[in-house]
Structures are given as C-alpha cells and as structure tokens.
Amino acid sequence: MFEGKPRELFARFAIPQMIGLLFNSVYTIVDGVFIGNRLGRETMAAAAVAVPLIEILISVAIAVAAGAGVLIAARLGSGKGDEARGLFNTAAWMMGAAGLGVALLGNLCLEPLALLLGAAPEVLPQAMAYLWYIVTFAPFQLFSFLLGGMARNDGRPKLAMTAMIAGAASNIVLDYVFMYPLNLGIRGAALATALGPIFSVLILLPHFLLRRGTLYFQAVRPRLAEGRSILVCGAPSFLMEFSIGIVTFLYNVAVSRHGYGELGLAAYLIIGYLMLILLTLFLGMAEGLQPVFSRFMATGEEKRNLAMRRFSTKVFLGVGVISCLLIFLGSRWFFLLFAPEDQELTAFAASRSIPYFCGFFLTGFNILMISFLQATRQTGRAMVLSLLRSVILPPALLLLLPALLGREGVWVCQSAADALTALFAICFLAFPARSCYSKLG
C-alpha cells in the first residue's frame, strides 16, 4: 500500500481525501448560490454571520473524530476490539454532550450569539432566524462527522462516502424546494443546511446499531482519561480546521467595523466560498498525505519521506499559483453564480478578491508543512505554524494594516499572514529538529 514513487503515493492517498472534503464544502456553497439568487444581498449578509459557528462545529467534530480514530486504529491493529469499542462510545458521549450543549446554550443566548458573530443591526433578525436552525440541529452536524470517521476506521469507507454524498445532495434538493416552491426564505435555507447531516446520520447509524462491524454502541460510562487522550490526539486537526472559522469571524467583525456594511459582508461571504474551495483542496491533500508521512517516519525511511515532501511541495505550490491566476483573471464569473443581478456586489467582490488572494499560493505550502510536522511528531512546530496563520497574525494584521494603509488594508491581511507564516515554515526546514525517524517499538 505504501510502495511506489511519490507521484503514485500522492495519487493514491491525497486525491481521494481531497474529493471527500470537497463534498463537505457543498453544504455551505450551495446555500450561498440559492440565497444570492433568490433572496439577495441583505440575506447573504445575515447568512454570513452563521459561517464561523458552522466551521467551529465542524472543527470540534473533526477533533473528536480524528483523535478517536488514531487511538481506535491502534487498538484494532493490536486486536483489542473491546478497548476500541470503549473509545468509540466515549467519543459518542463527548459528541452528544457537545451537541446538546450547543443546542441548549445557543437557544438561550441566540441574540447575543448573533451579535458576537458580527451581525449588523439591519440583518440581526434574519441572522437570528438562520442561527436558530444551526444551533438546534447541531447534534446531527457533529454526529455526521463522528460516525463517518468511525465508519472509515471500521473498514467501511464507501459507507462514509455514501453518507457524505447523500447529505450534500439532500441539501441541494431541499434548498430549491424550501426557497422556491415553498418560499420559506432564509429559514428554508437554514433548514436545508440543518437537515443535510440528518440524512448522513440515518445512513450511518444502522452500521453501529446493528453491530455490523467491530465498533458499535454499548451501554457504558464515558471515561475521562479516554476523553482527554482523544482531545490531545485530535488537537492539531482541530486547530487546522478551526482556523477557517477564526479567520471568517475576524473578517466579519473587521468588515463591519470599517464601514463596509451589508455590501462588504455579502462580498466577504462569496469571497469566503471561493476561499473555502481552495482550503478544501489543500486540507484534503494534506490530510490524505499524513498516513504516508507517518509510515515513513515510523519505518525510518527518511529519504523517502523527504522525497515525498519535496514532490508534494511542488504540487501544492503549483496548484496555489494556478488557482491565484484563475482568480485574478476570472473570479467575477464565480461571483455571478451568487448574485447575477447585483452588478455592484459582484464588481466589489471581484476587485477585493485580488488583494485577498494575492498570497494564497503560500496557503497550501503552510498547510502541507503543518501536516508534515504533525505526522513526523514535531507537534510543537506544527502548532506554532497553525497558531501563527489563524490566531496570532490575522488579528494583529487586521489591526495594523488598516491603520497603515486605510480601510482597504483589511483585504490583504490573510495573504500577509500566510506570507509571514511561510517564512517561519522555511526557517523550520532550514533548521530541522533532531531526527525523529526511528522504528516504533
């Protein structure tokens, strides 16, 4: 499975995971297309408020699913099925508690939550209407990711893929039905997004309820020690995905604070859809490559690992450069999908997409480096890069650059953050940590 040249391994591991994550991106993007065409700019601005929360929910789900998956795979590989089931049930308890907590607190604090997420006064009622469905159906959103990850670990990757496709397809169909024939407005868009994960869960549940694999539900108490181990193992994956929500939230606040109003929020929403596609490409390829990097690290094959990293770097940079060129030359056509009748909005988004994406050819390189460092047990360095591009540099630059360049400086902040992060990544390559290539005992 791990034999072959870097090109073959890349095609075998990176491409399938990239395709899988692209299906997940459909949920948010389809909403934007229908909302923009049917309901207009103001409603798009209201929906933009919920995007950071959705990304945070996905981050939590991925953290638990990834952390539990690592531990469960080790137990299954050692023939310890009982321990693997215990971890699975602990993860299910954790996800259930998180989902119910979001649903309860979200409904109790809906207006403060909308304001915290950057809702302007003119879109606050619509933003609250959209958020109600997101928080109320949060348990299904979380469980769809957990059960999909557990199905893959239990030898059912096709089942997990089928569930993802069903969720995405149902979202597309329901968006049309709720917003056109039923004319439910923004509530219909939110309901379609909320119901999509339910279809995924319904497809996945029989595998675990009917005990069709090693992992299934049992009446056991969750173990705190197992919960801590799951969260520790899943922390790098959480931060990589969580950065999308952090950056979106920071930009929503900055765009509102610098007086762009609903035009700016709506423009950033559709720019964010384009960003989501690029990030999905890079995250999918990077996550797919993690097993390759980890296997070569475990077997002491340093030369093959370095060859794999160098080949992947060329691919990531190549994809990044081509993507930037396509955006600079034709982003307006993409934005017309969301607002074909709103020439002001599409022109504004197209002009701001150039500074916003000017450094995005380095985004894939940074994501690859985070994945490589994490997979080769250089967790501290991986966390440094993740924190720089998501938690440290964006807020600092959103304060600094508008002060230096005027309010238009807002749109270049993420590219500047990726450029500075790439400098740190290059320094890590120039001064490598003590070799971690040794066979695992």
Side-chain angles (χ1 to χ4, degrees), residues 71-87:
L71 298 173
I72 286 171
R75 301 302 191 280
L76 292 176
S78 302
K80 299 176 180 178
D82 290 340
E83 293 184 15
R85 280 189 292 275
L87 286 162

Side-chain angles (χ1 to χ4, degrees), residues 14-24 27 144-145 147-153 155-169 199-200 203-204:
I15 302 302
Q17 181 65 8
M18 178 194 72
I19 294 172
L21 282 186
L22 279 173
F23 274 105
N24 286 329
Y27 285 107
S144 68
F145 278 90
L147 296 182
M150 296 301 97
R152 286 190 291 271
N153 277 279
R156 299 293 303 277
K158 290 183 179 179
L159 176 65
M161 181 65 71
T162 300
M164 279 197 300
I165 293 173
F199 288 95
S200 298
I203 291 172
L204 291 163

Side-chain angles (χ1 to χ4, degrees), residues 55-72 87 91 94-95 146 150 153 225-243 283 287 290 370-371 374-375 379 382-383 386:
E55 292 297 339
I56 290 170
L57 290 175
I58 293 174
S59 301
V60 172
I62 287 178
V64 176
V70 170
L71 298 173
I72 286 171
L87 286 162
M94 293 169 65
M95 206 65 86
L146 175 67
M150 296 301 97
N153 277 279
E226 290 181 345
R228 284 194 298 268
S229 297
I230 288 171
L231 292 177
V232 169
C233 289
S237 297
F238 169 81
L239 190 56
M240 195 180 296
E241 181 70 29
F242 186 56
S243 66
L283 285 169
E287 289 179 12
Q290 284 182 13
I370 292 169
S371 176
Q374 177 186 341
T379 309
M383 292 294 287
S386 293

Side-chain angles (χ1 to χ4, degrees), residues 61-274:
I62 287 178
V64 176
V70 170
L71 298 173
I72 286 171
R75 301 302 191 280
L76 292 176
S78 302
K80 299 176 180 178
D82 290 340
E83 293 184 15
R85 280 189 292 275
L87 286 162
F88 165 69
N89 282 277
T90 295
W93 275 103
M94 293 169 65
M95 206 65 86
L100 291 175
V102 170
L104 179 61
L105 293 176
N107 276 282
L108 290 176
C109 308
L110 197 59
E111 183 173 349
L113 177 62
L115 293 171
L116 177 65
L117 293 172
E122 59 269 24
V123 300
L124 181 60
Q126 290 195 82
M128 290 174 61
Y130 196 94
L131 281 171
W132 183 87
Y133 288 93
I134 302 303
V135 298
T136 302
F137 289 84
F140 295 100
Q141 178 94 55
L142 295 174
F143 263 100
S144 68
F145 278 90
L146 175 67
L147 296 182
M150 296 301 97
R152 286 190 291 271
N153 277 279
D154 209 15
R156 299 293 303 277
K158 290 183 179 179
L159 176 65
M161 181 65 71
T162 300
M164 279 197 300
I165 293 173
S170 67
N171 190 33
I172 295 171
V173 173
L174 292 176
D175 263 323
Y176 172 77
V177 171
F178 291 156
M179 277 192 275
Y180 282 86
L182 297 183
N183 198 27
L184 296 179
I186 192 171
R187 295 180 184 276
L191 182 58
T193 300
L195 292 178
I198 295 180
F199 288 95
S200 298
V201 170
L202 290 175
I203 291 172
L204 291 163
L205 268 179
H207 174 79
F208 302 99
L209 292 175
L210 301 178
R211 303 190 176 191
R212 292 173 176 170
T214 305
L215 304 179
Y216 49 80
F217 292 108
Q218 289 179 310
V220 297
R221 292 182 179 180
R223 298 177 181 177
L224 292 179
E226 290 181 345
R228 284 194 298 268
S229 297
I230 288 171
L231 292 177
V232 169
C233 289
S237 297
F238 169 81
L239 190 56
M240 195 180 296
E241 181 70 29
F242 186 56
S243 66
I244 301 174
I246 293 175
V247 171
T248 305
F249 166 70
L250 292 173
Y251 259 91
N252 277 346
V253 174
V255 167
S256 295
R257 187 161 60 88
H258 288 287
Y260 285 104
E262 69 177 45
L263 174 64
L265 280 174
Y268 181 63
L269 175 64
I270 57 179
I271 288 174
Y273 290 138
L274 191 52

